[in-house]
């Protein structure tokens, strides 16, 4: 049930001028009760992150380096086995509310894509639950579409 990162990047290079960089959630910095797990199927790396159930203290932080400032597409691959999940998605300290649609089962995964403005150099992307609720997520990865011209 897992697709290796190298296979995804190879596929991306073959069919588009863009490179999709994958940031596995299990390799991000995570705190506040968030932890790795592997008890569901169809995630892409060796583990995914869970621990968001009834937890507003859990937070995941990704570090992304951009060669130049500008807008890029970020995708969040997640599972939301109960109802829709409301998260706070931050880019360099500025948070916005996102509603991630329910996948109805924890073994189903979906992707939420949004444009973000990145700074040249290091950028910090954060995710956390807005509410203490059972309507939470499991997090597989964050991806970023990078132009390769």
């Amino acid at each position: 049930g897992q697709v290796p990162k190298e296979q995804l990047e190879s596929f991306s290079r073959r069919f588009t001028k863009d490179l999709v960089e994958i940031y596995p959630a299990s390799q991000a910095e995570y705190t506040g009760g968030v932890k790795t797990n592997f008890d569901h199927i169809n995630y892409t790396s060796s583990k995914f992150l869970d621990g968001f159930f009834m937890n507003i203290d859990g937070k995941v932080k990704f570090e992304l380096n951009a060669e130049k400032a500008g807008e890029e597409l970020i995708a969040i691959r997640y599972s939301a086995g109960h109802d829709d999940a409301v998260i706070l998605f931050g880019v360099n300290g500025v948070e916005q509310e996102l509603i991630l649609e329910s996948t109805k089962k924890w073994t189903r995964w979906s992707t939420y894509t949004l444009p973000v403005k990145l700074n040249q150099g290091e950028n910090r992307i954060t995710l956390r639950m807005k509410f203490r609720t059972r309507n939470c997520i499991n997090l597989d990865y964050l991806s970023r579409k990078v132009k390769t011209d």
Side-chain angles (χ1 to χ4, degrees):
Q2 300 166 8
V3 179
K5 177 181 176 183
E6 296 79 19
Q7 186 178 349
L8 290 172
E9 288 176 351
S10 173
F11 180 81
S12 171
R13 282 192 204 101
R14 206 172 300 138
F15 294 101
T16 180
K17 290 184 179 180
D18 300 326
L19 171 66
V20 176
E21 290 185 347
I22 307 289
Y23 301 88
S26 61
Q27 294 176 17
E29 181 181 320
Y30 47 94
T31 58
V34 174
K35 62 189 182 329
T36 60
N37 208 334
F38 52 89
D39 64 342
H40 301 299
I41 59 171
N42 299 323
Y43 53 93
T44 59
S45 63
S46 62
K47 301 173 191 163
F48 59 87
L49 293 182
D50 72 2
F52 296 100
F53 183 84
M54 302 299 289
N55 182 4
I56 58 171
D57 298 321
K59 190 172 193 175
V60 181
K61 180 176 74 173
F62 295 88
E63 298 286 340
L64 283 63
N65 190 34
E67 289 186 25
K68 59 184 180 179
E71 189 172 275
E72 294 187 17
L73 287 178
I74 298 289
I76 305 163
R77 187 162 193 268
Y78 71 94
S79 179
H82 297 296
D83 291 328
D84 295 352
V86 181
I87 68 165
L88 294 174
F89 179 85
V91 179
N92 297 319
V94 179
E95 289 185 318
Q96 64 179 304
E97 181 180 300
L98 302 179
I99 299 174
L100 305 183
E101 290 185 18
S102 174
T103 57
K104 307 294 184 203
K105 294 182 178 182
W106 291 110
T107 56
R108 290 187 187 149
W109 298 82
S110 187
T111 305
Y112 184 100
T113 304
L114 72 156
V116 299
K117 290 185 181 179
L118 297 179
N119 299 327
Q120 182 176 9
E122 285 296 316
N123 293 271
R124 178 176 295 162
I125 306 291
T126 58
L127 289 95
R128 63 188 178 98
M129 298 304 302
K130 182 172 182 180
F131 305 108
R132 185 180 313 276
T133 178
R134 67 188 291 275
N135 300 329
C136 60
I137 63 169
N138 286 338
L139 185 62
D140 188 14
Y141 66 72
L142 198 73
S143 68
R144 168 180 166 217
K145 193 179 269 193
V146 180
K147 297 279 185 197
T148 58
D149 300 327

